[in-house]
């Protein structure tokens, strides 16, 4: 017997989707129609309010190809419990989950004209069972329904009856299909597929720092981004004051992830690289690996601290302040006590320098009071600005320019030796000294590591502004000094640190997360490990994991949970033409294609692609161009993913790095960028670690 149209669950769910979209549209129109012409005191407040309204309008955008809701929760109805329902049985009030209630789970909250929720934000407490409920612990959920979409159209649904003992637990087909959906363009959110172990990290409290060790395809980047979205939901007022920041390894990576947070309705999160954070000078030079290792060592912080405070000199003569017919004299021993007290307090060099004239002025005021005068704060301010006091401060505690200080350390062997004694060896000092004379800090060819040193010196002089929360991705490649630079941005906040020790490809790559957290200033941070792989096919991750004993023997290999094993082929070739042919074969599949090669081989492959008439992009251009093939230098592959990858000449990738271990780690990264299939082409023998 056929099911009446009115009883068809899919029809009812489509109806709820249509009404929810209409409600979201009405919410947006309500904000757009707000008249703020007479509600602000001045034009500044009007500008701020207008910007807030504009951001709210953008956050309420209905993305046609993005499902408005992706799941539903029906809670257990206990005997005697009442249930308040709206049309078609949807939940009609805003309380937490209770007897017999129903919630549609989506990317943002949507309510009708009466204020009743039609879609509940995935970050709300009531949504948590959608990610964590199971047969073993149903969390009072009787039914969990997942929805399948084609484009923006609801086309399927799938039910789990968590309280039915006769129904065996099974892998969700819709969930599996969403995980394995082809990757085209920038990174997508994973809000519909968050797994229980991921959800625990996403919803961890704001007060603590979390470090996530995750192999390729475990979703650590997505977890970090969704954690930001969750924290902004749970602590919006606090984070609106203090700010949030996502730090990625390079611009290509940031372009790749930049649409995830806006898709979740979050538009205010800043994204940057570590180089952006420390951009006090223009970086035009590079370091040899040995020099970069020393400059990135945490011991450089001690050298810089010594060099900064070496500018303080004990007073050699008293300060005499003339006011009217009276002369007030602050003796040398009293000045020394003031200077020592400021040094012992351990405050920033600049803050101490600002405090010094007021301390001297206070000593003068004490003498005035003893002589019977009654000076007030205005007198103290005037004394602090007295020429004799200013001259003494300039001589005792002169201003320090961070860039000039670092330049002197790198060009003056005696100055460096004086402050690096017992910290850096003579050979290490020689390694970082510049061999060519430099006229000024402006004309210097600063390296990226030098900029980090200047940032450290800047913080010694003046405190760096702290944010409420920082997400640091691909953290395994940071030097200790770079960790310190990031840590300065969240001294009063918390951090989410994401990375994979096996993918560390810098000479100073992180050896342990506890060591990294110490450099970050977050020794109380908790380390979590993700080992379930959702992105990389089983055959591909198993092949790449052959490298783990050689690059990170202590790590647990990723276990792929994908049902589709993916395609995997190792193909000997004779030259670039065969590599291009492999790319053309991959283009016959749906989704994005990445041709990954050693950096030195990229120009030749680009030329071969052009000769064959095959259009291609550079990493980061996927958001603005239509071509599906991206030519990726191995050095930029980290963090990116493509449906199909053609990996050119693994041995060339290994040989392109300064040492074999770093080369094998780079190879591990490039082998694990594929979502659906990997073709390895090679003209030279494969590295023995793979065979």
């Amino acid at each position: 017997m056929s099911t009446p149209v009115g009883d068809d669950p899919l029809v009812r769910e489509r109806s709820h989707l249509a009404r929810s979209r209409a409600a979201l549209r009405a919410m947006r129109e309500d904000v757009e129609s707000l008249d703020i012409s007479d509600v602000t005191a001045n034009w500044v407040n009007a500008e701020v309010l207008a910007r807030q309204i504009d951001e709210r309008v953008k956050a309420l955008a209905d993305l046609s190809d993005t499902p408005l809701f992706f799941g539903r929760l029906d809670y257990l109805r206990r005997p005697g419990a009442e249930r308040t329902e709206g049309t078609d049985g949807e939940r009609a009030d805003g309380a937490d989950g209770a007897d017999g209630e129903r919630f549609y789970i989506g990317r943002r909250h949507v309510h009708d004209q009466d204020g009743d929720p039609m879609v509940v934000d995935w970050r709300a407490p009531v949504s948590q069972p959608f990610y964590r409920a199971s047969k073993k612990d149903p969390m009072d959920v009787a039914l969990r329904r997942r929805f399948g979409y084609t484009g923006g159209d609801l086309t399927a649904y799938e039910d789990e009856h968590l309280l039915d003992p006769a129904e065996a637990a099974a892998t969700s087909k819709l969930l599996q299909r969403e995980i394995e959906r082809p990757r085209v363009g920038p990174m997508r959110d994973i809000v519909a597929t968050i797994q229980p172990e991921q959800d625990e990290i996403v919803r961890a409290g704001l007060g603590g720092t979390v470090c996530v060790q995750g192999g390729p395809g475990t979703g650590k980047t997505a977890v970090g981004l969704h954690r930001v979205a969750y924290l902004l939901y749970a602590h919006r007022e606090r984070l609106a004051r203090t700010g949030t920041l996502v730090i990625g390894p390079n611009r290509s990576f940031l372009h790749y992830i930049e649409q995830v947070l806006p898709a979740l309705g979050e538009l205010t999160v800043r994204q940057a690289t570590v180089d952006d954070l420390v951009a006090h000078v223009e970086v035009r030079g590079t370091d040899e690996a040995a020099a970069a290792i020393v400059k990135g060592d945490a011991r450089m912080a001690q050298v810089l601290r010594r060099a900064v405070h070496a500018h303080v000199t004990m007073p050699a003569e008293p300060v005499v302040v003339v006011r009217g017919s009276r002369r007030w004299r602050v003796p040398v021993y009293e000045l020394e006590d003031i200077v020592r007290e400021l040094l012992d307090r351990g405050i920033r060099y600049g803050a101490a320098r600002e405090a010094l004239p007021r301390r001297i002025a206070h000593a003068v005021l004490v003498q005035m009071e003893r002589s019977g005068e009654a000076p007030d704060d205005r007198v103290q301010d005037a004394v602090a600005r007295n020429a004799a006091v200013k001259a003494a401060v300039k001589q005792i505690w002169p201003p320090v320019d961070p860039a000039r200080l670092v330049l002197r350390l790198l060009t003056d062997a005696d100055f460096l030796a004086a402050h690096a004694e017992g910290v850096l060896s003579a050979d290490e000092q020689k390694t970082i000294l510049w061999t060519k004379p430099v006229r000024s800090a402006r004309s210097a060819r600063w390296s990226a590591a030098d900029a980090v040193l200047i940032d450290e010196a800047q913080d010694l002089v003046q405190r760096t502004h702290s944010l409420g929360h920082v997400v640091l991705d691909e953290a395994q490649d940071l030097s200790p000094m770079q960790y310190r630079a990031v840590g300065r941005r969240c001294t009063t906040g918390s951090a989410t640190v994401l990375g994979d020790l096996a993918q560390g490809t810098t000479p100073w790559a992180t050896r342990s997360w506890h060591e990294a957290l110490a450099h970050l200033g977050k020794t109380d941070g908790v380390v979590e490990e993700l080992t379930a792989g959702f992105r990389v096919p089983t055959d591909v991750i198993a092949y790449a994991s052959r490298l783990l004993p050689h690059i990170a023997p202590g790590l647990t290999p990723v276990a792929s949970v994908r049902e589709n094993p993916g395609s995997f082929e190792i193909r000997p070739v004779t030259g670039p033409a065969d590599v291009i042919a492999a790319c053309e074969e991959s283009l016959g599949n749906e989704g994005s294609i990445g041709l990954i090669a050693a950096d030195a081989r990229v120009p030749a492959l680009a030329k071969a692609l052009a000769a064959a008439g095959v259009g291609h992009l550079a990493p980061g251009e996927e958001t603005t161009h239509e071509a599906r093939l991206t030519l990726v230098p191995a050095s930029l592959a980290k963090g990116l993913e493509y449906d199909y990858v053609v990996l050119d000449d693994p041995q060339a990738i290994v040989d392109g790095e300064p040492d074999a271990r770093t080369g094998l780690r780079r190879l591990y990264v490039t082998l694990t960028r594929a979502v659906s299939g990997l073709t390895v082409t090679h003209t030279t023998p494969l590295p023995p670690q793979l065979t």
Side-chain angles (χ1 to χ4, degrees), residues 22 94 102 139 216 222 245 256 304 313 315 349 353 467 471 482-484 503 555 590 656:
R102 174 178 297 169
M139 301 175 72
L245 173 67
Y256 180 65
L304 287 165
T313 59
Y349 184 94
R353 187 174 188 274
L467 299 165
V471 173
Q482 287 176 314
Y483 277 116
R484 290 177 61 87
Q503 296 186 58
L555 291 185
E590 181 185 3

Side-chain angles (χ1 to χ4, degrees), residues 318-339:
V319 173
V320 179
V321 176
V322 179
R323 285 187 59 81
S325 60
R326 301 293 299 270
R327 293 165 60 89
W328 307 98
R329 181 175 181 273
V330 182
V332 170
Y333 74 86
E334 192 168 353
L335 292 172
E336 288 179 348
D337 289 343
I338 293 173
V339 172

Side-chain angles (χ1 to χ4, degrees), residues 278-533:
V278 300
H280 305 290
V281 294
E282 182 182 0
V283 174
R284 297 182 298 152
T286 56
D287 285 315
E288 295 290 336
I293 290 172
V294 176
K295 290 179 181 179
D297 194 295
R299 293 173 297 162
M300 287 300 300
Q302 185 178 354
V303 175
L304 287 165
R305 178 174 291 277
R306 288 181 179 180
V308 167
H309 287 92
H311 289 75
V312 179
T313 59
M314 286 299 172
E317 55 187 26
V319 173
V320 179
V321 176
V322 179
R323 285 187 59 81
S325 60
R326 301 293 299 270
R327 293 165 60 89
W328 307 98
R329 181 175 181 273
V330 182
V332 170
Y333 74 86
E334 192 168 353
L335 292 172
E336 288 179 348
D337 289 343
I338 293 173
V339 172
R340 288 195 179 95
E341 191 270 336
L342 287 173
L343 287 172
D344 291 342
R345 285 185 61 192
I347 59 177
R348 296 296 193 281
Y349 184 94
R353 187 174 188 274
E354 292 174 1
L356 180 57
R358 294 194 62 83
R359 297 296 178 87
I360 296 174
H362 177 74
V364 172
L365 260 66
V366 169
Q367 293 184 33
M368 290 180 175
E369 291 170 348
R370 287 173 181 169
S371 68
E373 296 189 19
D376 56 18
D377 290 344
R378 289 174 299 174
V379 175
Q380 184 173 3
D381 291 341
V383 173
R385 295 193 301 269
N386 182 273
V389 175
K390 286 184 176 180
V393 170
K394 185 175 181 180
Q395 187 272 325
I396 297 170
W397 214 293
V400 170
D401 180 273
R404 291 178 181 175
L405 173 76
V406 173
L407 180 63
R408 187 178 176 190
L409 278 172
L410 299 177
T411 56
D412 186 336
D414 293 337
F415 186 70
L416 176 61
H419 303 298
E421 183 180 0
V423 180
L424 301 180
S425 69
D427 287 341
E428 288 174 321
Q429 294 175 38
K430 186 177 180 180
T431 299
I432 63 174
L433 276 171
W434 292 1
T435 56
K436 295 181 180 179
V438 180
R439 289 181 298 175
S440 67
R442 180 172 295 182
S443 64
R445 293 184 62 83
W446 298 108
S447 69
D450 297 333
V452 178
L453 296 180
I454 293 171
D455 188 71
E456 180 85 25
Q458 178 74 40
D459 186 69
L460 289 168
V461 174
Q462 185 176 3
R463 182 182 297 276
T464 303
H465 173 68
S466 176
L467 299 165
H469 193 77
V470 170
V471 173
L472 175 61
D473 204 354
E474 299 296 346
Q476 72 279 346
D477 281 330
L478 267 60
S479 70
M481 290 298 286
Q482 287 176 314
Y483 277 116
R484 290 177 61 87
V486 174
R488 285 192 283 279
R489 271 75 186 177
C490 55
T491 51
T492 59
S494 56
T496 300
V497 182
L498 312 166
D500 179 12
L501 297 179
Q503 296 186 58
T505 52
T506 55
W508 48 83
T510 303
R511 292 173 295 186
S512 81
W513 289 123
H514 291 291
E515 181 180 319
L517 289 170
H519 293 312
L520 198 67
K522 304 294 182 183
T523 54
D524 58 346
V526 177
V527 180
E528 303 283 355
E529 187 172 9
L530 297 176
T531 58

Side-chain angles (χ1 to χ4, degrees), residues 43-251:
W43 70 270
V44 175
N45 291 341
E47 286 287 331
V48 172
L49 184 56
R51 186 165 59 251
Q52 291 174 342
I53 290 175
D54 184 59
E55 290 177 352
R56 177 61 176 162
V57 169
K58 291 178 181 177
L60 290 172
D62 185 5
L63 307 177
S64 60
D65 59 345
T66 302
L68 189 57
F69 58 79
F70 46 81
R72 195 183 95 184
L73 291 177
D74 290 6
Y75 279 86
L76 170 68
R77 182 182 298 181
R78 294 184 175 87
E82 294 185 0
R83 176 177 176 177
T84 304
E85 294 184 354
T87 308
D88 292 337
E90 69 265 16
R91 163 76 162 64
D93 63 54
D96 288 344
D99 291 335
E101 292 183 319
R102 174 178 297 169
F103 300 90
Y104 285 85
I105 313 301
R107 284 170 170 77
R108 67 202 67 194
H109 170 86
V110 179
H111 59 256
D112 62 19
Q113 60 183 2
D114 297 322
D116 294 328
M118 302 188 71
V119 180
V120 177
D121 195 299
W122 66 275
R123 298 166 289 188
V126 74
S127 302
Q128 184 172 321
F130 182 78
Y131 301 106
R132 298 198 193 179
S134 64
K135 284 279 189 179
K136 186 176 181 180
D137 181 13
M139 301 175 72
D140 290 333
V141 173
L143 172 74
R144 173 166 54 201
R145 175 170 288 178
R146 299 183 190 274
F147 297 107
Y149 287 81
T150 302
D153 299 326
L154 198 162
T155 55
Y157 71 92
E158 182 181 73
D159 289 344
E160 289 179 86
H161 297 89
L162 299 178
L163 298 176
D164 185 354
E167 183 178 295
T171 302
S172 166
K173 299 297 183 183
L174 290 179
L175 179 65
Q176 196 70 33
R177 190 175 76 182
E178 175 63 21
I179 289 173
E180 298 180 4
R181 184 157 59 98
R183 267 68 170 166
V184 179
M187 182 180 181
R188 301 190 304 264
D189 65 70
I190 62 166
V191 66
T193 63
I194 295 173
Q195 298 300 292
E197 64 272 20
Q198 296 173 324
D199 190 63
E200 289 183 13
I201 298 171
V202 167
R203 296 176 191 264
L206 176 61
T209 289
V210 179
C211 176
V212 182
Q213 159 63 41
T218 55
K220 56 185 177 295
T221 295
V223 165
L225 295 175
H226 287 69
R227 177 159 162 72
V228 172
Y230 171 77
L231 292 176
L232 284 168
Y233 175 89
H235 308 278
R236 189 166 300 280
E237 289 188 9
R238 177 176 171 183
L239 290 178
R241 295 192 306 269
T242 56
T244 51
L245 173 67
V246 174
I247 303 173
N250 52 57
R251 282 281 145 204

Side-chain angles (χ1 to χ4, degrees), residues 655-669:
D655 294 341
E657 299 297 330
D659 60 80
R661 184 172 185 179
T662 303
L664 291 174
R665 287 185 169 186
R666 182 76 69 189
L667 178 58
Y668 180 74
V669 171

